Amino acid sequence: LCLSAFLSLPLAGRAEPIRYSVAEEAESGSLVGKLAEDAGLTPAQLSARRARLVSEDGRQHFRLDGGSGRLVVAGRLDREELCGQAGTCMLPFELLLANPLQFFRVEVALEDINDHSPVFRKEKVISFRIPETSDPDSRFPLELAQDLDIGSNSIQMYSISPKNEYFSVSYGSRAEDDQYLELVLEKALDREEQAEMDFSVIAEDGGSPPRSGNVNDNAPVFTQERYIGKTLENMPEGSVILTVLATDQDAGVNGDISYELIQAGGKSDSAFVIDPITGEIKLTKPLDFEDSVRHELRVRATDGGGLSAICKVLVEVVDVNDNAPELVVSSFSSPLPENTVPGTVVALFSVRDRDSGANGQISCALEDQLFFSLRAAYKNYYELVTVSALDREERAQHILSVTAADAGWPPLTSTQTFTVDISDVNDNAPVFNQTSYTMYVRENNVPTVFVGAVSAADADVGLNAKVTYSLAPVQGAERAWCSCISVNSENGHVFVLRPLDYERLRQTQVTVSASDAGSPPLRANVTVRLVVLDENDNAPLVLYPGQESSPASSELVPVSAEAGYLITKVVAVDADSGQNSWLSYHLLRATEPGLFSVGVQSGEVRLRRPVTDRDAVKQKLVVLVRDNGKPPLSATAALSALLLKDFSDVRLPHSSPATEEQQDSLTTYLIVSLVFVSLLFLISTVAFVARKVCKRKELEAGPVLYGADNLPSSLADAAAAGTLPRAYCYEISLTTGSGNSEFKFLRPILPSLPPQHCAPGQEPDEGQNFPCVPVSGEDMAPMDNAGTLSAREFNALSFK
């Protein structure tokens, strides 16, 4: 915007200055011009854009009335003091506007008024001794009067008062800046008639009203023309500038000449002195080209007879490179927002050198060319502008050095330093120090437990870098986060608000948002995953054997079983995880501890040794199931085992006195059931023999369940006759939770044995690797009452 405004400045404001004129000695507050109107601005714009006047020398001769936009005189203006005898007196300055930056060149011409009278030298009366033999038209030089005004207000004419017939004055110019004033003898003199004459020469300017000055005069004589000398401004004190020479044809005292310096107003220039005998003009102090380029002197040569002549001496000062360039800053903006567009004007300054020629030619250079550059604006004005985007986070301060050098030898330089601070804008979002966070908490934690912290940093400063934390809301179809997590808005600490249960919640995640305090705020999100660590808070749970049945189920173990025989397997689980769920099995108690062993890892209950006659028929075992937690938790599994010679000789002791009445009632049902089954089995024997070949294939194919209603008639008949072969003995095992009088399952044992072919009236002998042996009547005898099972225990039997 600043660049656009700068390029769109009115041509009058950039190419040609706005010019005004005002008379010197104008009163303070006098109107110079309507500056706002001439610049195309309104008074309101002047105030809004902070208008001010800037001059090169820093002196404010004028001021701007902000209410009306008029340019008025600020104080007394003396043209002779400001500009001396210069033909024109121009006071330049700039009208500077900010926001956006713009300036107008303004020049005010100071007009001369007739405020000075002509002045002659007043130290003494000038006397001329003129021989009476002098011819008419003889000329005698006179000292010029001085008038500080210029133009028509300077000296225009000389006259004699009172007028007489013997003398007149001649005034004119022989060359540029070479004026003369002479007393002219109009008529021959006669000493005897009049030995002395007194009159005044009057100088009159052209002002309105005119001013005048006079001097008493007698005829002088000067014999020398104009002298011109040059000197370097750094010449030391006592240096001879030039020598003037006057001659006199008289001899003796009348031929002795002395010299003296005379100057306007009767003041001698303190920088020069003349030797009264030799006429050498010397320096009394070094000259300064910048103060005065040329010095005009007048030298009077007087002989011993009192006659004198006046010559003009011009001393031109030659410039040397003794002034370094000067930088005058008109406007400077700092700090700059970091989002400042390229081309923005940062500073406006002017350069000047009081030297002349090549010594006053200035070039400017900027050391840092990456972000800023110099651009010529108007005449000796330069702009410091941005050329690329600024980033406070990369560089918060730029120190720029502008060097101005002149073209003299050796060149002189001066440096202006601009310190540009870059102000922050909210252009950086917070950044987390991790891409994601994983935090851990043990289950059964205390409420509001601290589990970790998230941390985000913002490269901005101030409020733009103040980070606050919050839980980001769930978007769309995302799964809702656990309400058990909270984050501290100030420091990012993460807390778990309530106790957690690993078995219900193993992990969850939330999104934490970090937001700065800028306008508008910027934010960043990060995922926080909360992992719940397991604690050993769950004891093992025994799945088998079931512990809710009363009495506990019994496992049937043949007395012929060898060591390592698998009786049953304790199955347990633990709801914990890891080491807390590693289970080990131990035999806690047993009727015969040396008879059984329990697999530590598998939970299998096996025979440690073969069964002996001394071992009780019913064995009770308690297996301890323990996890690997710290401290460990455990559970027990109670089970019983029946040691039987064969399954037809099953006797189960009464489990408890409380169930004796129920077991007696079940005995009758069991005997009836066994008789009924035996009858069905004998009936099915005939069919079985006829279909032996087919039946063998079915037995090889898989187990067959037999119930009271589907046994073969031959087997039922054989059961009724009490001739059931040993190959059809029943294996009975207790099942878990058998608390009623129903049969759970019944299956023949033949399908699980290797196929064996025996002649009628023979059976396989298990002790002889299943050879065929005759069937005896005792083996087929039914169970008597002494070996009967209780109704509850028989309910859990299964048959093969």
Side-chain angles (χ1 to χ4, degrees):
L1 293 177
C2 293
L3 178 62
S4 301
F6 176 79
L7 295 176
S8 62
L9 291 178
L11 293 179
R14 297 304 306 276
E16 293 295 332
I18 301 174
R19 292 188 172 91
Y20 300 105
S21 63
V22 64
E24 65 169 329
E25 304 295 344
E27 294 183 359
S28 178
S30 299
L31 176 64
V32 178
K34 298 179 180 179
L35 182 56
E37 180 180 338
D38 295 336
L41 302 170
T42 63
Q45 288 178 314
L46 294 179
S47 176
R49 297 178 64 180
R50 302 194 302 274
R52 60 191 179 96
L53 303 180
V54 179
S55 62
E56 293 183 1
D57 57 5
R59 293 188 294 178
Q60 296 294 337
H61 303 294
F62 306 94
R63 60 182 174 86
L64 182 63
D65 187 348
S68 61
R70 299 187 306 169
L71 183 67
V72 297
V73 176
R76 177 178 178 272
L77 299 176
D78 188 348
R79 194 199 67 82
E80 290 74 30
E81 179 183 347
L82 295 174
C83 301
Q85 296 295 308
T88 59
C89 185
M90 194 69 68
L91 301 180
F93 58 91
E94 284 76 33
L95 170 62
L96 183 63
L97 304 175
N99 191 29
L101 183 64
Q102 186 179 7
F103 65 91
F104 296 88
R105 181 77 171 180
V106 182
E107 293 180 354
V108 178
L110 194 58
E111 301 294 339
D112 182 52
I113 63 173
N114 192 25
D115 57 345
H116 293 87
S117 300
V119 177
F120 284 98
R121 181 174 176 174
K122 298 180 180 179
E123 280 80 354
K124 60 182 179 180
V125 176
I126 300 176
S127 299
F128 287 96
R129 294 181 180 182
I130 303 174
E132 61 179 345
T133 59
S134 297
D135 294 329
D137 201 31
S138 297
R139 295 176 178 267
F140 307 94
L142 293 175
E143 178 184 353
L144 290 169
Q146 301 294 324
D147 193 330
L148 296 180
D149 297 323
I150 61 171
S152 61
N153 293 327
S154 64
I155 298 173
Q156 301 295 318
M157 59 178 295
Y158 290 87
S159 62
I160 293 178
S161 178
K163 292 184 178 181
N164 61 72
E165 57 182 340
Y166 292 100
F167 292 96
S168 66
V169 293
S170 176
Y171 170 69
S173 299
R174 298 187 182 91
E176 184 181 0
D177 295 333
D178 185 14
Q179 296 176 342
Y180 66 90
L181 177 62
E182 296 175 333
L183 185 65
V184 180
L185 182 60
E186 297 290 343
K187 181 179 178 182
L189 299 174
D190 186 355
R191 179 184 176 280
E192 288 72 24
E193 182 180 345
Q194 188 173 357
E196 185 177 294
M197 295 182 184
D198 294 326
F199 54 89
S200 297
V201 176
I202 300 174
E204 186 176 343
D205 60 27
S208 179
R211 293 173 176 264
S212 62
N214 60 75
V215 61
N216 292 328
D217 202 357
N218 287 313
V221 175
F222 187 75
T223 60
Q224 183 63 36
E225 294 293 333
R226 186 170 84 169
Y227 292 84
I228 298 176
K230 292 184 179 182
T231 181
L232 298 176
E233 61 175 326
N234 60 351
M235 291 293 288
E237 179 182 351
S239 299
V240 177
I241 304 302
L242 55 85
T243 302
V244 296
L245 179 62
T247 61
D248 194 317
Q249 295 181 357
D250 296 331
V253 176
N254 293 333
D256 294 335
I257 299 175
S258 62
Y259 303 94
E260 62 175 331
L261 291 176
I262 58 175
Q263 199 169 7
K267 297 181 180 179
S268 61
D269 195 325
S270 60
F272 301 93
V273 66
I274 189 169
D275 189 312
I277 304 302
T278 62
E280 292 180 345
I281 299 176
K282 301 178 181 180
L283 291 176
T284 60
K285 62 179 181 181
L287 302 178
D288 190 351
F289 175 85
E290 290 69 38
D291 288 342
S292 180
V293 177
R294 185 176 61 179
H295 295 267
E296 182 176 335
L297 307 176
R298 292 189 180 274
V299 178
R300 182 192 299 275
T302 304
D303 60 18
L307 298 179
S308 63
I310 299 176
C311 70
K312 184 176 183 179
V313 178
L314 296 177
V315 179
E316 296 181 357
V317 182
V318 179
D319 182 47
V320 296
N321 194 24
D322 59 345
N323 289 279
E326 299 177 11
L327 282 81
V328 180
V329 179
S330 300
S331 176
F332 176 56
S333 300
S334 179
L336 286 179
E338 61 178 322
N339 59 351
T340 300
V341 297
T344 300
V345 178
V346 179
L348 175 68
F349 62 92
S350 61
V351 293
R352 63 181 181 182
D353 195 319
R354 299 179 63 189
D355 296 323
S356 62
N359 297 332
Q361 296 177 0
I362 305 173
S363 61
C364 292
L366 177 64
E367 294 181 3
D368 186 0
Q369 298 291 338
L370 296 178
F371 300 96
F372 300 87
S373 68
L374 285 179
R375 182 173 64 190
Y378 173 73
K379 289 187 178 180
N380 59 335
Y381 278 85
Y382 290 86
E383 293 173 332
L384 182 63
V385 298
T386 60
V387 295
S388 61
L390 304 175
D391 189 354
R392 190 208 63 82
E393 289 72 37
E394 180 181 345
R395 190 171 177 182
Q397 187 181 76
H398 296 263
I399 300 178
L400 310 175
S401 296
V402 177
T403 301
D406 58 28
W409 184 258
L412 299 179
T413 62
S414 60
T415 301
Q416 176 69 41
T417 300
F418 296 92
T419 301
V420 182
D421 295 319
I422 308 302
S423 61
D424 184 53
V425 297
N426 193 27
D427 58 347
N428 289 277
V431 177
F432 285 94
N433 58 2
Q434 295 180 210
T435 56
S436 63
Y437 293 85
T438 300
M439 300 177 184
Y440 301 89
V441 62
R442 291 192 175 276
E443 65 173 328
N444 305 318
N445 56 282
V446 297
T448 66
V449 64
F450 171 75
V451 294
V454 297
S455 178
D458 197 311
D460 297 322
V461 295
L463 290 177
N464 295 333
K466 182 177 176 56
V467 179
T468 56
Y469 304 91
S470 62
L471 293 177
V474 178
Q475 300 292 335
E478 294 183 10
R479 185 177 180 182
W481 44 267
C482 178
S483 60
C484 58
I485 298 177
S486 175
V487 61
N488 188 295
S489 61
E490 295 296 329
N491 51 30
H493 289 181
V494 179
F495 300 90
V496 177
L497 301 179
R498 57 181 175 82
L500 300 180
D501 187 357
Y502 172 82
E503 287 69 39
R504 293 186 177 181
L505 180 67
R506 298 199 172 186
Q507 71 175 19
T508 185
Q509 69 180 27
V510 296
T511 300
V512 176
S513 176
S515 176
D516 58 31
S519 179
L522 300 179
R523 58 175 47 88
N525 295 334
V526 71
T527 299
V528 176
R529 186 167 67 98
L530 179 66
V531 178
V532 182
L533 300 178
D534 182 48
E535 284 193 342
N536 193 26
D537 59 344
N538 290 278
L541 175 63
V542 178
L543 300 179
Y544 182 84
Q547 302 301 299
E548 296 180 357
S549 62
S550 180
S553 61
S554 298
E555 302 292 340
L556 301 181
V557 180
V559 296
S560 60
E562 299 293 332
Y565 178 83
L566 176 62
I567 300 173
T568 185
K569 181 175 182 180
V570 179
V571 179
V573 295
D574 195 315
D576 297 322
S577 65
Q579 293 187 0
N580 296 330
S581 65
W582 295 355
L583 301 180
S584 60
Y585 302 86
H586 309 276
L587 183 61
L588 184 62
R589 293 191 306 273
T591 304
E592 295 290 340
L595 181 60
F596 303 97
S597 64
V598 178
V600 176
Q601 303 297 331
S602 63
E604 295 178 346
V605 180
R606 297 179 181 270
L607 289 177
R608 177 177 291 181
R609 59 174 174 79
V611 179
T612 64
D613 295 337
R614 294 190 300 272
D615 296 327
V617 175
K618 187 171 183 179
Q619 298 285 330
K620 292 185 178 181
L621 299 87
V622 177
V623 176
L624 176 68
V625 184
R626 184 171 58 196
D627 58 28
N628 198 37
K630 293 182 180 181
L633 300 178
S634 62
T636 58
L639 54 89
S640 62
L642 297 178
L643 305 180
L644 304 178
K645 293 181 180 180
D646 54 44
F647 293 154
S648 63
D649 190 26
V650 175
R651 296 181 184 86
L652 292 179
H654 300 297
S655 59
S656 64
T659 59
E660 288 182 359
E661 183 178 354
Q662 183 180 4
Q663 291 175 353
D664 290 340
S665 64
L666 288 175
T667 301
T668 304
Y669 293 108
L670 288 174
I671 293 173
V672 174
S673 298
L674 287 174
V675 172
F676 180 73
V677 172
S678 298
L679 290 174
L680 290 177
F681 189 76
L682 289 175
I683 294 172
S684 64
T685 300
V686 178
F688 176 79
V689 173
R691 298 176 58 189
K692 183 175 64 174
V693 176
C694 295
K695 187 62 178 178
R696 185 181 296 111
K697 294 180 180 180
E698 293 178 4
L699 294 176
E700 291 177 357
V704 179
L705 292 176
Y706 295 93
D709 56 348
N710 64 356
L711 287 174
S713 60
S714 60
L715 294 178
D717 295 338
T723 60
L724 187 62
R726 291 182 61 87
Y728 283 88
C729 64
Y730 292 91
E731 178 182 336
I732 303 172
S733 61
L734 296 177
T735 62
T736 303
S738 56
N740 51 46
S741 60
E742 296 179 357
F743 287 104
K744 293 301 181 181
F745 50 87
L746 177 68
R747 57 184 178 180
I749 200 172
L750 285 177
S752 63
L753 300 176
Q756 181 69 31
H757 303 282
C758 296
Q762 295 182 341
E763 64 177 358
D765 186 0
E766 295 179 8
Q768 302 297 329
N769 198 14
F770 302 102
C772 294
V773 296
V775 177
S776 63
E778 295 179 3
D779 294 333
M780 297 301 297
M783 294 186 231
D784 56 7
N785 291 336
T788 59
L789 301 175
S790 65
R792 179 178 296 276
E793 292 173 332
F794 190 80
N795 182 46
L797 298 180
S798 61
F799 299 87
K800 292 184 180 178

